[in-house]
Amino acid sequence: MKQPVITIDGPAGAGKSTVSRTLAKRLNLVYLDTGAMYRAVALQATRENIPFSDGNALYMMCENIDIHFKANGDKSAIFIDNDDVSAQIRMAEMDMLSSSVSAVPEVRKAMTALQRKIGEKGGIVAEGRDMGTVVFPDADFKFFVTASPEVRAKRRYDERKARNEDIDINNVEADIRKRDEQDQSRKLAPLKPADDAILIDTSGMEIERVIEVILGHIKGDHL
Ligand code: DC
């Protein structure tokens, strides 16, 4: 039997990553963090000084580098060629830069192809913005995870504080709102739920509860 494809889309800070990673682990599936791929593209374009207005140059760059994941204990590390960029892609400036570069059609073309290749045999939990709408429209299970902007900002703030970053919660919330707006309003593959996605508002929920709800849908139907 073909292994399932499960998609988890939603805005920044909705809890997608923790939920997707945990779900993949419990179900013994591969976790695919597509946001990390756009972050890697933004990082490499910055390193190579490629302007985001030059779609062709960005496409060539994507074709010339090897973006891949490697399991690292419980986590998964992302590489550009032989370079582990897992830490660099989480730098705060990569938030907006990855959102901007992800609006470039040539970049989406390259990443969509790579994501489909990784998922072609099934057996994945794919997390992002357009997993259920564009990349895996025939996915077995689609979820769209949201939370209020205040709750999402608080989660991002706690994450960054834990990494000892010097930040202000109001700035975090303003950045999140700006990035959502940019991700929702782009022409290609905008952030939105697929028509057949199950919506989950995680505002007042513990992560464990979100996982229970998702597993409830999957088990009830399939596994
Ligand atoms: O999930 P994240 O915050 O790491 O994603 C960074 C940016 O990448 C996000 O603001 C928009 C873009 N992205 C996308 O356009 N499509 C995806 N499937 C995943 C991320």
Side-chain angles (χ1 to χ4, degrees), residues 34-35 38-39 90 98-99 102 108 128-131 179 183 186:
T34 62
Y38 287 102
R39 285 170 181 270
R90 298 293 157 201
S98 57
S99 170
S102 75
R108 296 212 77 82
R129 304 290 188 287
D130 63 337
M131 294 299 102
R179 188 147 69 100
D183 291 342
R186 68 173 176 235

Side-chain angles (χ1 to χ4, degrees), residues 3-8 16-17 19-34 37 68-77 114-128 131 136:
Q3 290 270 310
V5 172
I6 301 172
T7 61
I8 315 247
K16 295 188 305 287
S17 298
V19 167
S20 306
R21 198 180 309 115
T22 312
L23 202 62
K25 199 168 165 219
R26 299 240 177 116
L27 299 175
N28 206 12
L29 304 174
V30 169
Y31 164 51
L32 176 62
D33 178 358
T34 62
M37 298 168 78
H68 59 276
F69 295 91
K70 260 189 210 166
N72 177 5
D74 247 10
K75 298 214 165 136
S76 127
L114 188 53
Q115 290 154 10
R116 286 188 179 144
K117 187 147 184 37
I118 296 173
E120 72 190 350
K121 294 200 176 75
I124 60 166
V125 178
E127 177 214 327
M131 294 299 102
F136 300 112

Side-chain angles (χ1 to χ4, degrees), residues 85-100:
V85 293
S86 311
Q88 284 99 309
I89 62 160
R90 298 293 157 201
M91 290 184 304
E93 61 261 39
M94 287 301 142
D95 288 357
M96 260 335 257
L97 287 175
S98 57
S99 170
S100 301

Side-chain angles (χ1 to χ4, degrees), residues 178-193:
K178 196 166 149 214
R179 188 147 69 100
D180 286 353
E181 159 63 24
Q182 184 161 293
D183 291 342
Q184 280 161 352
S185 61
R186 68 173 176 235
K187 280 211 191 83
L188 239 142
L191 163 66
K192 65 166 186 197

Side-chain angles (χ1 to χ4, degrees), residues 99-192:
S99 170
S100 301
V101 89
S102 75
V104 179
E106 290 86 349
V107 169
R108 296 212 77 82
K109 184 176 165 203
M111 288 306 109
T112 298
L114 188 53
Q115 290 154 10
R116 286 188 179 144
K117 187 147 184 37
I118 296 173
E120 72 190 350
K121 294 200 176 75
I124 60 166
V125 178
E127 177 214 327
R129 304 290 188 287
D130 63 337
M131 294 299 102
T133 49
V134 175
V135 180
F136 300 112
D138 301 326
D140 302 273
F141 301 97
K142 299 181 184 179
F143 298 93
F144 192 85
V145 180
T146 56
S148 71
E150 294 78 15
V151 168
R152 294 189 286 116
K154 176 76 172 57
R155 286 181 187 155
R156 267 296 134 92
Y157 175 81
D158 289 345
E159 253 171 55
R160 299 231 141 116
K161 267 281 167 207
R163 282 191 248 145
N164 285 323
E165 290 177 32
D166 184 20
I167 38 160
D168 177 281
I169 186 134
N170 295 319
N171 291 343
V172 176
E173 188 175 330
D175 288 352
I176 278 200
R177 284 182 190 268
K178 196 166 149 214
R179 188 147 69 100
D180 286 353
E181 159 63 24
Q182 184 161 293
D183 291 342
Q184 280 161 352
S185 61
R186 68 173 176 235
K187 280 211 191 83
L188 239 142
L191 163 66
K192 65 166 186 197

